Amino acid sequence: RRSVPFKVGSRKVYNYSTNDKYMSIENQSNDPISPREETPESFREKLSELPNGYAFNNGLDDSLVAELIEYSTKDPLILKNTSDAKRFADRESYLEWREKNRTLYSLTNADRSKLLGIAWFGKEAIPLPRFELSEDINPTDYEITIAKRLYDKARNRKIAKIMMKIAFSEYLQHQAQNQRTGFWSETSLDNEINVKVNQSLGFRIVSKPNKSGKILMGARFEDLLAALE
C-alpha cells in the first residue's frame, strides 16, 4: 500500500484495524505525503486510544468546511480564545489559509459526516518580538507552530490529548529526519485546559503573558518524543 500526493478535493481513505477497533485516516490535504508501506506499531497504539464513534482524518473533507466556519464564527469558546473568526471567516478565508502550507488533521464522528475537532502544523518562526520571555530559548529549537480545536460533544471528554498524540505521531512520520525541530503554540493563559494538555505533551510556558493575556509555549523535539512514549 503506497500513498501519493493529492490535490484539494481528492479523496482516499486508509483503513486500519487496531485492537479490533476500526479507524480511518483520510487524506484530504494538498500536502505531499511520503510513501509508507505500513503503519508503525506506536501509531496503531495511539489510534486505539481514540474512543469508539470517532475518526481521525488526514485533512478536512470539503463537505465539512461550512461546519468549520460555523464553529469559528459563532462558538463562544473559539471566539474568546482564538483568531479563527478571522482565519476561517468564510470559505475564501479558509482556502487562503490553506495556501500557507499547513498540515491539517480533523476529528469527526465515525462516518465522517460531522466535524468534532481540528489540529494543524506549519513551518513558522516563533514570534519572540511580541512577548517577554521567561527563559532564554534558541528560536531554532521551535520552528513549527501547532494548534488544536475541539467542538461540540468532543469537549470535556479528555480527547484533546489523544487527538494530538495521534496528530503528532502521524505528522512526524512524514517529517524528514534533517528537518526535525521543536514546536511552539500561542495560547491564552486562562485557557487552563489547553495549557495543561500542552504541558502533558512536553510543552513549557516560555513567556510572560502579553497585554492580550496570550503566552508562548514551546516543546523541544526530545521532550515531545518523551511525552509521546
Side-chain angles (χ1 to χ4, degrees):
R1 181 173 54 201
R2 185 172 293 272
S3 58
V4 296
F6 295 88
K7 296 180 180 179
V8 173
S10 66
R11 182 184 179 107
K12 187 174 182 65
V13 178
Y14 300 95
N15 300 326
Y16 301 110
S17 294
T18 56
N19 297 335
D20 296 325
K21 287 185 177 181
Y22 176 87
M23 298 294 173
S24 67
I25 303 296
E26 177 181 337
N27 189 301
Q28 191 74 20
S29 172
N30 60 347
D31 305 306
I33 294 186
S34 306
R36 182 177 62 207
E37 297 299 333
E38 61 182 12
T39 306
E41 187 61 32
S42 61
F43 186 53
R44 292 177 188 272
E45 292 174 358
K46 290 174 178 59
L47 277 173
S48 70
E49 297 176 17
L50 201 61
N52 286 324
Y54 294 85
F56 180 85
N57 311 284
N58 189 333
L60 179 65
D61 192 280
D62 192 65
S63 65
L64 298 177
V65 173
E67 271 194 87
L68 173 63
I69 294 169
E70 183 80 4
Y71 285 126
S72 301
T73 56
K74 295 183 179 180
D75 185 286
L77 287 178
I78 298 298
L79 291 172
K80 176 185 177 183
N81 294 310
T82 79
S83 301
D84 288 1
K86 179 179 179 180
R87 183 180 289 115
F88 305 130
D90 49 33
R91 184 176 182 82
E92 183 179 356
S93 299
Y94 166 76
L95 293 175
E96 182 178 343
W97 177 81
R98 288 309 307 271
E99 293 298 319
K100 295 177 69 174
N101 195 29
R102 297 297 193 241
T103 299
L104 177 64
Y105 301 101
S106 59
L107 183 71
T108 63
N109 60 347
D111 66 5
R112 301 185 300 280
S113 63
K114 183 171 178 57
L115 182 63
L116 296 173
I118 60 171
W120 72 79
F121 300 79
K123 183 87 170 180
E124 185 173 325
I126 186 169
L128 299 182
R130 301 208 314 264
F131 292 87
E132 180 182 353
L133 296 182
S134 55
E135 62 176 80
D136 291 331
I137 65 172
N138 182 352
T140 60
D141 288 337
Y142 311 92
E143 295 187 327
I144 298 175
T145 183
I146 68 109
K148 58 187 171 297
R149 313 283 189 257
L150 287 181
Y151 310 120
D152 198 44
K153 70 175 185 178
R155 289 175 176 165
N156 302 315
R157 298 195 179 190
K158 299 183 178 180
I159 290 178
K161 182 179 179 180
I162 298 173
M163 179 181 75
M164 291 310 297
K165 285 173 68 176
I166 298 171
F168 273 113
S169 297
E170 174 70 1
Y171 182 75
L172 292 175
Q173 287 185 67
H174 308 302
Q175 192 182 25
Q177 289 282 351
N178 63 357
Q179 294 179 347
R180 291 191 166 178
T181 180
F183 300 81
W184 64 270
S185 177
E186 181 177 335
T187 187
S188 298
L189 180 61
D190 62 1
N191 190 350
E192 296 180 3
I193 293 177
N194 194 45
V195 171
K196 289 180 179 178
V197 170
N198 282 349
Q199 289 173 329
S200 73
L201 293 167
F203 283 74
R204 314 180 316 285
I205 297 174
V206 298
S207 80
K208 298 178 180 179
N210 63 15
K211 293 181 180 180
S212 301
K214 300 284 188 178
I215 56 171
L216 282 177
M217 301 189 73
R220 289 185 293 259
F221 184 75
E222 57 270 22
D223 294 335
L224 175 70
L225 287 186
L228 291 178
E229 291 181 352

